[in-house]
Amino acid sequence: MAFLSVQEQPLSHNPLDILEEIVTANEWLFDRSNEDELVVELAGRWCHYRMFFVWQREVGALQFSCQFDMRVPDGKHGDVNDLLSLLNNRLWLGHFDLDTQQNSPLFRYTVLARRDRLPSVEMLEDLVEIALT
C-alpha cells in the first residue's frame, strides 16, 4: 500500500497533528473529537478498518489500534483466541486481540515517545502500513 508523502514539519508536541496530515493527504475519512484522539475509517481489500489513535501526554505514549470489520461467531471465541495467540507468537511489533464488546479482532501497538523525540512522519506512516498489511 502506497501512502502519499507528508513533508516533515517543525516539531509538534502532538503526533496526532502529523497523523491528521497523513490521513488528509490520503483522503481517508476521520474524526478528531479532541486533540488527543483520532479515529480513521478506511475501506480495505478484505474488510473495513477503523483505526484509533490516542496520545497520552502524561505517559508519552501513542496508542494505536486497528479494528477489523469482522464479527467472530458465538462459540468460536476460543478458536479465534487460539489463532490470535499463534499469530502473536510470530509478530515482532504489536499484537492482535479480540474486542469482546464488538466480537471483532483488532491489532494494537503503542509507541513510546519522549517529549523531545516524538515519532517521525516515516514511523507513523509505517505504523499504519503495518496494521493494514
Side-chain angles (χ1 to χ4, degrees):
M1 173 170 279
F3 295 103
L4 299 175
S5 203
V6 174
Q7 297 298 317
E8 191 78 47
Q9 299 292 323
L11 183 64
S12 167
H13 293 291
N14 188 335
L16 296 185
D17 296 336
I18 299 168
L19 280 163
E20 187 173 337
E21 288 183 40
I22 293 169
V23 167
T24 301
N26 283 285
E27 299 179 351
W28 296 335
L29 297 175
F30 73 95
D31 179 36
R32 189 152 178 196
S33 57
N34 63 55
E35 68 180 46
D36 293 330
E37 294 180 14
L38 177 69
V39 179
V40 181
E41 300 276 342
L42 177 64
R45 184 174 180 188
W46 305 107
C47 65
H48 283 81
Y49 302 100
R50 177 175 254 182
M51 296 182 282
F52 299 92
F53 300 89
V54 179
W55 174 236
Q56 297 183 3
R57 296 169 192 275
E58 61 281 350
V59 179
L62 174 64
Q63 185 180 46
F64 169 68
S65 62
C66 181
Q67 188 169 32
F68 306 99
D69 186 23
M70 303 174 181
R71 297 281 185 240
V72 174
D74 291 335
K76 293 291 184 182
H77 289 200
D79 292 337
V80 170
N81 278 323
D82 289 345
L83 176 61
L84 295 180
S85 178
L86 290 171
L87 288 171
N88 287 335
N89 284 332
R90 294 175 175 249
L91 288 179
W92 286 40
L93 299 170
H95 70 277
F96 285 96
D97 201 356
L98 185 59
D99 182 332
T100 54
Q101 291 180 333
Q102 300 293 323
N103 287 332
S104 61
L106 53 90
F107 175 78
R108 294 182 199 254
Y109 186 76
T110 300
V111 177
L112 296 175
R114 295 182 181 180
R115 189 151 186 76
D116 60 338
R117 297 188 139 213
L118 294 175
S120 67
V121 171
E122 294 82 11
M123 182 183 293
L124 296 171
E125 289 174 334
D126 289 346
L127 176 66
V128 173
E129 186 171 1
I130 288 167
L132 297 179
T133 55

